[in-house]
Amino acid sequence: MAKEERSIAGDLIDFLNASPTAFHAVDEAKRQLVAAGYEQVFERGDWHLRRGNKYFFTRNYSTIIAFAIGKKYVAGNGFNIIGAHTDSPCLKLKPVSKVSKGGYLEVGVQTYGSGLWHTWFDRDLTIAGRMIIKEGKGDCASYSHRLVRIQEPIMRIPTLAIHLDRGVNDGFKTNAQSHLVPVLATSVKAELNKAVAENGPDEKPSKSPNTFSNKKHHSLLLQLLAAHADCKPDDICDFELQACDTQPGIIAGAMKEFIFSGRLDNLCMSFCSLKALIDATMSEKSLEDESGVRMVALFDHEEVGSSSAQGAGSPVMVDALSRITTFFSSDSQLLHKAIQKSFLVSADMAHALHPNYMDRHEENHQPKLNSGLVIKHNANQRYATNAVTAFIFREIAAKRNLPVQDFVVRNDMPSGSTIGPILASGTGIRTVDVGASQLSMHSIREMCAVDDVKHSYEHLKAFYEEFTRVDAKIAVDI
């Protein structure tokens, strides 16, 4: 493996391991953007923008949009955008997670997205997410948003022994309500340690009436969370948490050509998009000849349809386009012109040919690992690609001698979809759907190829650097 390939793949591993949730992914993206000289702006505040400068903002701390304004930009010019998503299928804690059955303390969870839920059994699980923490007392109290992550394994969803389910190998079927319930502790151990866990060995029992702490969740869980958030259990006012696998992502395989990790869909594309933007705007000269705006938009809630205030179905991206355009001109018509000059690369992982299920792919469209980004096509508009957008993306690859593949789902199988059609139909921006190929999509542990991380990064970086020149040579609506 070449040193550069290992470096890019290694950076992806670091990103994956720092991002157990969408909130952590945005936090890590923010850290990288700040380190690269990007300035944070806020949707609630006024924006003061300058050509040649770089900015970002977050919404709900689970969606992040970053952009760099070309030095030759004028209002009405286009936006060169790569869109991806920060969320992955997972098990999220219920508003009331306190479950006690058969002498066990369990944690109630709800399924998020379309996961391969059988892969969550017998995994060493922990919890991560965000909490709302009370700081201060009485009228002086304030409330902060704080990320939390328990590193060590604290839960497990055990399978039923084959001796009690002799037909399990004929088809392992799970009931998401009754079977997907992680075990936190035994009731006996929790009771024996209750006084120490809640109050410490030398403190008197708490008399706090905090109904969130006392009624909705196990005190043992809240104690663990408080210890990692550096607060008291009674200071936890609410949270959005999810179960996470504790096994880190790694570079693996006999030839060290694979990446084994959770959340490759779609943190792999989020990472490659982010790194492409940062590196395409790193030098002083990188924006000198740019007449457009280079942008990356990493959305939450793709796995559940994108219909939220921070999803791709929201106006968050168009709001950014509008604020940038109108900052440089008060002419309201210029945004419409800008949209028609813009281009979106919807980057979401693709299905690689599976050697044990080769019949699941259409015979002329079988993406391989280590073979470059996949352009996704669907006549029924489940993907937003058309001949023009596919040509532009392929032409950019040709300029850098990068491999490209094509994917079409079989006619007798339903197609998945992405943020591409949502954004294309909602904004009118030309869109191509692409993604790196992977196996085990939506498993708790997925698999992709090291070479494809490098190919994806280079192709997306080339998009930022080449699109304006390529697009100038194409005439369609004339």
Side-chain angles (χ1 to χ4, degrees), residues 5 19 85 140 157 266 283 317 365 380 385 392 407 439 455:
E5 293 169 1
S19 307
H85 64 89
C140 296
I157 306 174
N266 191 39
S283 72
M317 190 180 82
H365 302 87
N380 297 303
T385 307
I392 290 173
F407 174 75
L439 296 170
H455 293 322

Side-chain angles (χ1 to χ4, degrees), residues 372-430:
L373 276 173
V374 179
I375 300 177
K376 306 175 186 180
H377 309 259
N378 186 265
N380 297 303
Q381 296 303 297
R382 297 292 288 169
Y383 301 125
T385 307
N386 61 31
V388 176
T389 61
F391 168 76
I392 290 173
F393 199 69
R394 194 175 285 111
E395 185 70 8
I396 291 169
K399 286 181 171 292
R400 301 294 177 93
N401 197 30
L402 292 167
V404 184
Q405 307 181 80
D406 291 286
F407 174 75
V408 171
V409 74
R410 289 171 56 101
N411 285 332
D412 55 1
M413 295 177 66
S415 174
S417 192
T418 69
I419 61 173
I422 295 170
L423 290 170
S425 62
T427 65
I429 294 175
R430 294 170 294 169

Side-chain angles (χ1 to χ4, degrees), residues 221-412:
L221 174 61
L222 293 170
Q223 184 66 31
L224 289 168
L225 291 167
H228 284 78
D230 193 25
C231 68
K232 295 180 180 179
D234 289 344
D235 293 332
I236 301 173
C237 299
D238 212 333
F239 56 53
E240 289 179 71
L241 302 174
Q242 66 189 60
C244 309
D245 192 7
T246 56
Q247 186 175 2
I250 57 171
I251 296 174
M255 301 299 295
K256 299 298 182 185
E257 62 180 308
F258 302 129
I259 293 174
F260 301 158
S261 178
R263 306 175 304 284
L264 289 172
D265 176 20
N266 191 39
L267 291 187
C268 179
M269 290 293 92
S270 292
F271 165 80
C272 291
S273 304
L274 181 70
K275 182 173 175 59
L277 178 67
I278 288 174
D279 290 357
T281 58
M282 183 65 75
S283 72
E284 288 286 332
K285 297 181 179 180
S286 58
L287 295 171
E288 279 190 357
D289 295 324
E290 179 59 75
S291 59
V293 176
R294 299 175 183 178
M295 176 179 285
V296 67
L298 308 181
F299 299 96
D300 194 6
H301 293 149
E302 188 275 344
E303 296 293 355
V304 291
S306 297
S307 297
S308 71
Q310 53 274 5
S314 78
V316 60
M317 190 180 82
V318 173
D319 286 349
L321 306 188
S322 176
R323 292 190 72 163
I324 296 167
T325 302
T326 56
F327 180 83
F328 290 97
S329 174
S330 59
D331 185 348
S332 61
Q333 296 299 313
L334 292 179
L335 177 61
H336 302 294
K337 291 175 62 178
I339 284 174
Q340 293 307 309
K341 295 177 182 179
S342 298
F343 193 96
L344 170 70
V345 177
S346 168
D348 202 346
M349 298 295 278
H351 298 292
L353 178 68
H354 196 305
N356 302 334
Y357 301 89
M358 293 182 64
D359 61 322
R360 301 304 175 94
H361 272 72
E362 209 275 338
E363 61 180 352
N364 292 322
H365 302 87
Q366 299 184 340
K368 308 290 197 305
L369 295 180
N370 291 317
S371 300
L373 276 173
V374 179
I375 300 177
K376 306 175 186 180
H377 309 259
N378 186 265
N380 297 303
Q381 296 303 297
R382 297 292 288 169
Y383 301 125
T385 307
N386 61 31
V388 176
T389 61
F391 168 76
I392 290 173
F393 199 69
R394 194 175 285 111
E395 185 70 8
I396 291 169
K399 286 181 171 292
R400 301 294 177 93
N401 197 30
L402 292 167
V404 184
Q405 307 181 80
D406 291 286
F407 174 75
V408 171
V409 74
R410 289 171 56 101
N411 285 332
D412 55 1

Side-chain angles (χ1 to χ4, degrees), residues 74-88:
V74 294
N77 285 3
F79 293 80
N80 311 335
I81 310 165
I82 302 175
H85 64 89
T86 59
D87 62 321
S88 301

Side-chain angles (χ1 to χ4, degrees), residues 52-193:
N53 283 19
K54 305 176 289 188
Y55 308 90
F56 75 92
F57 68 91
T58 67
R59 180 179 286 191
N60 190 53
Y61 216 72
S62 59
T63 287
I64 187 166
I65 293 179
F67 56 93
I69 305 171
K71 291 185 177 181
K72 294 184 178 180
Y73 171 77
V74 294
N77 285 3
F79 293 80
N80 311 335
I81 310 165
I82 302 175
H85 64 89
T86 59
D87 62 321
S88 301
C90 64
L91 300 176
K92 297 201 173 191
L93 271 64
K94 291 180 177 178
V96 179
S97 71
K98 191 174 185 178
V99 178
S100 299
K101 293 187 298 183
Y104 293 95
L105 302 188
E106 295 185 303
V107 179
V109 295
Q110 53 184 330
T111 56
Y112 175 86
S114 300
L116 291 173
W117 303 125
H118 67 274
T119 66
W120 285 73
F121 283 77
D122 297 333
R123 303 292 300 185
D124 299 337
L125 302 177
T126 189
I127 287 176
R130 71 165 171 192
M131 302 195 298
I132 306 301
I133 306 296
K134 181 180 180 180
E135 299 176 342
K137 297 180 180 180
D139 293 338
C140 296
S142 61
Y143 302 88
S144 65
H145 162 280
R146 198 174 303 178
L147 301 190
V148 64
R149 178 183 189 179
I150 300 175
Q151 294 282 355
E152 62 269 19
I154 62 169
M155 305 188 303
R156 206 164 192 263
I157 306 174
T159 51
L160 185 63
I162 194 170
H163 313 81
L164 304 177
D165 187 9
R166 291 293 184 181
V168 65
N169 288 327
D170 296 328
F172 180 54
K173 296 181 180 180
T174 64
N175 182 297
Q177 174 62 25
S178 57
H179 298 158
L180 280 174
V181 190
V183 173
L184 180 68
T186 60
S187 300
V188 172
K189 281 287 186 181
E191 191 64 30
L192 288 173
N193 289 280

